[in-house]
Amino acid sequence: MEFRIGNGYDVHALAPGLPMWLGGVQIDSPTGFVAHSDGDVAIHALCDALLGALALGDIGHLFPDSSAEWKGIDSKILLSKVVALVHEKGWRVGNADITIALQKPKLAPYIGSMRTCLSEILGIGTDAVSVKATTTERLGFVGREEGAEVWASVLILK
Ligand code: MG
């Protein structure tokens, strides 16, 4: 059996009055992410981790923000396309581990739904999808509520 790991990182700025999507789930928040797509920074980091494991570049390369095709797109569709690529290359996803840094709102009530949503797209059990959330103790751009950052790690195998 062959194994590969991948990691992904993404940042999006926050602005008032925009919808906030994280891990495929809409979060009740007065602010949301500025983006060409729906701004789901957690899914973007996860896509980059999968593409990293495949050594196929990044989502900006695959889905350029200069293209009208991806404007306002549901990031779950982008993730489905990346997972299809994983399968096309003969790999399957082993597990995923995601850490979201966001000052507000508290994400604890949404973690279960995010794990369910992502596990369905990844085609693996919820027990193989970890989503963790942290604040940055009011430090840095995350602490000032200017944006969020997300790290994702994945293992793929064949
Ligand atoms: Mg992004």
Side-chain angles (χ1 to χ4, degrees):
M1 190 169 271
E2 280 184 74
F3 300 94
R4 286 189 179 185
I5 58 167
N7 75 83
Y9 171 73
D10 198 21
V11 170
H12 277 268
L14 284 165
L18 294 174
M20 180 184 282
W21 286 92
L22 277 172
V25 173
Q26 187 158 20
I27 311 295
D28 186 17
S29 167
T31 59
F33 298 113
V34 179
H36 186 70
S37 67
D38 67 5
D40 192 325
V41 60
I43 287 188
H44 297 175
L46 181 56
C47 286
D48 268 0
L50 290 164
L51 292 170
L54 294 170
L56 281 179
D58 57 52
I59 53 167
H61 174 81
L62 218 61
F63 312 111
D65 63 8
S66 53
S67 163
E69 192 181 353
W70 313 117
K71 179 130 185 67
I73 196 168
D74 180 344
S75 294
K76 293 190 278 292
I77 295 170
L78 304 182
L79 180 59
S80 304
K81 288 179 184 290
V82 171
V83 171
L85 211 51
V86 170
H87 294 158
E88 254 171 52
K89 301 280 178 189
W91 298 89
R92 63 188 170 89
V93 180
N95 74 299
D97 184 20
I98 297 166
T99 302
I100 303 168
L102 180 73
Q103 191 63 41
K104 262 207 272 199
K106 286 271 175 257
L107 296 178
Y110 301 99
I111 298 285
S113 315
M114 289 185 206
R115 293 177 64 205
T116 301
C117 174
L118 296 175
S119 68
E120 282 169 6
I121 303 170
L122 293 169
I124 58 180
T126 51
D127 62 342
V129 180
S130 159
V131 178
K132 311 186 297 296
T134 184
T135 71
T136 59
E137 302 290 343
R138 301 221 150 267
L139 295 169
F141 71 86
V142 171
R144 292 190 298 271
E145 300 174 35
E146 293 167 4
E149 57 187 339
V150 179
W151 296 262
S153 302
V154 298
L155 181 132
I156 59 172
L157 56 154
K158 69 172 162 189

